[in-house]
Amino acid sequence: MKLFIVSAAMIVLVTASAFSIAPAGEETQHSYLGTDSLEAERLKYMNAVLESIKGMEQLPADSVFKNLKVIKGASSISAEHLLWMMNWGWSAELGVSCNHCHVIGKWESDSIQKKDIARGMWLMRVKINNEILPGITGRNYDQQPAVTCITCHRGKAVPDAG
Ligand code: HEC
Ligand code: HEC
């Protein structure tokens, strides 16, 4: 049943392109889905969180979770969406599991520094997509290409230098 819910949620999310505030670039993201050996582990952690917030999945993430400093306001999304973004949008794009940034089970804790770096990266991404890209003139694309974690990270915790 759980597997079914997860698969259904995957389909809904992919169809709705509901990943982030910047739907473009989605194709590149999706080519990473399910191809990474940590996916099963991440799903296990994600499902444990989903279980702990049962009935509140569709509420705004910042009303469900305890310590959101950047995924709020204009970046506000549902609690469930935040978890998918954690999994596919961040972990898979960096090629890591949840424990790269979190003490498993103490999700609100900031004791791993990479978590705070990730907040800075998110703010950079929002600034690039909302302020810098639109200010570049002469752009003429069918879609609106946007920068996501994978644009730079390409499945690696630290992007290649050159
Ligand atoms: C690259 C770092 C990174 C990875 C990997 C990551 N997270 Fe997060 N996570 C964050 C950051 C940063 C926040 C806080 C966002 C904010 O401040 O708005 C967060 C917040 C959360 C929260 C909310 C906790 C609270 O109560 O405030 C949960 C739950 C969570 N993550 C679960 C997960 C799960 C499950 C995974 C793996 C599928 C995961 N995260 C992978 C960086 C990460
Ligand atoms: C514009 C390019 C770019 C984007 C977009 C980007 N990053 Fe980064 N990221 C970098 C670079 C470059 C570094 C290495 C920084 C350094 O060496 O000081 C890095 C480093 C990090 C680190 C620290 C890695 C380590 O092990 O020290 C984390 C965590 C991280 N990024 C998370 C994210 C997340 C999550 C996203 C998407 C929300 C993201 N990044 C988007 C370029 C980017």
Side-chain angles (χ1 to χ4, degrees):
M1 185 62 187
K2 181 148 286 160
L3 200 66
F4 170 76
I5 294 170
V6 166
S7 321
M10 281 179 164
I11 291 162
V12 169
L13 275 176
V14 170
T15 316
S17 293
F19 251 114
S20 62
I21 55 166
E26 208 83 68
E27 232 155 84
T28 335
Q29 286 185 354
H30 290 159
S31 64
Y32 276 69
L33 294 183
T35 62
D36 141 7
S37 61
L38 297 170
E39 179 63 8
E41 182 180 305
R42 290 193 304 254
L43 273 179
K44 186 183 72 181
Y45 293 142
M46 204 190 90
N47 281 328
V49 181
L50 274 175
E51 192 65 37
S52 73
I53 61 162
K54 233 188 171 75
M56 301 190 287
E57 297 90 335
Q58 302 311 322
L59 296 179
D62 58 357
S63 74
V64 173
F65 297 117
K66 298 173 189 150
N67 187 21
L68 298 188
K69 297 179 178 163
V70 297
I71 311 296
K72 58 179 192 177
S75 295
S76 185
I77 49 179
S78 73
E80 185 175 11
H81 186 168
L82 178 126
L83 292 172
W84 285 111
M85 190 171 85
M86 285 291 140
N87 187 350
W88 290 345
W90 293 18
S91 304
E93 295 186 6
L94 268 62
V96 299
S97 185
C98 315
N99 60 4
H100 189 68
C101 300
H102 290 284
V103 180
I104 300 302
K106 294 188 181 167
W107 304 100
E108 71 280 11
S109 164
D110 284 346
S111 61
I112 298 179
Q113 204 183 10
K114 294 196 195 322
K115 188 182 176 192
D116 218 31
I117 297 178
R119 287 192 175 106
M121 293 278 154
W122 170 264
L123 294 176
M124 171 177 72
R125 174 191 179 299
V126 169
K127 200 177 177 76
I128 290 174
N129 290 334
N130 293 0
E131 295 175 32
I132 299 174
L133 273 179
I136 299 175
T137 54
R139 299 158 73 235
N140 179 21
Y141 308 108
D142 290 341
Q143 298 183 327
Q144 285 295 318
V147 170
T148 66
C149 312
I150 209 165
T151 312
C152 300
H153 281 264
R154 316 304 303 173
K156 294 181 179 163
V158 181
D160 289 334

